[in-house]
């Protein structure tokens, strides 16, 4: 993509999907290919979950979590092409894939006041850069008006095997149910999103398929992309 900020209006590419569908890897590799910043919205919810557990707050105690949100400082930025987050000056990244956070992040994510604050921070990225953002409500809630939407999915058995491969033991079915059935901003296929099943894709072929989808959705300057190896 052109580095000239005036060349094209800033835009968001929304990548949604369930746990272990491959959306994070796809978003990260697309960001490299397109020269955009990749924002992992799930890391924001995991960071808040980490903070709640650090303070011995029950993630299902909405009032206590909301009170915590009112007093903590959350800063979102980026390092290179990847987003980062700090809470009260601490980067919790090394802890964000822990079993305790896996077990509690859905409860934190279901709290409307948490979602509102983090959605505001997510939208603020467009104030200074175009982005690829992945999560569960990006195309439906965070950037519903973007024309660039992909819903990444994979067979449950494939997703469970991926989860196990990276050492995470939480149930993808349980996580899917929690995220799909919550009252506020549930996991869903957003209007206008194209479904990309990564069950039998390699990383490279999945990125190529996503780029074809984005071409059809009218993403600008695709002629400037670096061809895949």
């Amino acid at each position: 993509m052109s580095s000239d900020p005036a060349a094209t209006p800033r835009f968001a590419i929304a990548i949604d999907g369930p746990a272990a569908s491959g959306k994070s890897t796809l978003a990260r590799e697309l960001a490299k290919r397109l020269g955009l910043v990749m924002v992992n919205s799930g890391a924001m919810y995991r960071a808040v979950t980490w903070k709640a557990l650090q303070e011995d707050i029950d993630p299902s105690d909405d009032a206590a979590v909301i009170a915590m949100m009112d007093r903590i400082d959350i800063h979102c930025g980026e390092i290179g092409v990847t987003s980062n987050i700090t809470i009260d000056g601490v980067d919790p990244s090394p802890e964000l894939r822990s079993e305790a956070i896996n077990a509690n992040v859905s409860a934190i994510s279901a709290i409307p006041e948490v979602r509102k604050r983090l959605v505001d921070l997510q939208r603020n990225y467009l104030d200074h850069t175009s982005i690829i953002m992945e999560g569960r409500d990006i195309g439906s809630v965070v950037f519903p008006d973007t024309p660039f939407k992909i819903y990444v999915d994979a067979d449950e058995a494939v997703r469970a095997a991926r989860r196990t491969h990276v050492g995470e033991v939480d149930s993808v079915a349980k996580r899917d149910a929690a995220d799909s059935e919550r009252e506020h901003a549930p996991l869903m296929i957003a209007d206008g999103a194209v479904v990309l099943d990564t069950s039998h894709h390699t990383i490279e072929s999945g990125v190529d398929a996503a780029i074809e989808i984005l071409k059809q959705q009218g993403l600008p300057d695709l002629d400037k992309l670096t061809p895949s190896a």
Side-chain angles (χ1 to χ4, degrees), residues 119-197:
V119 166
D120 287 344
L121 291 172
Q122 290 157 16
R123 289 173 176 161
N124 286 346
Y125 272 98
L126 275 191
D127 289 345
H128 62 279
T129 188
S130 292
I131 57 174
I132 297 176
M133 185 173 292
E134 64 96 346
R136 288 167 172 75
D137 65 344
I138 310 307
S140 58
V141 174
V142 184
F143 295 113
D145 296 329
T146 182
F148 312 122
K149 300 179 183 181
I150 299 176
Y151 184 91
V152 183
D153 208 347
D155 294 339
E156 184 177 322
V158 172
R159 294 191 289 118
R162 289 172 179 171
R163 209 69 160 168
T164 300
H165 180 70
V166 297
E168 297 184 18
V169 297
D170 57 320
S171 166
V172 293
K174 184 177 180 180
R175 181 73 190 276
D176 291 349
D179 290 341
S180 300
E181 296 169 4
R182 67 190 179 213
E183 181 178 356
H184 300 278
L187 171 66
M188 60 183 292
I189 301 174
D191 289 343
V194 174
V195 177
L196 173 59
D197 190 320

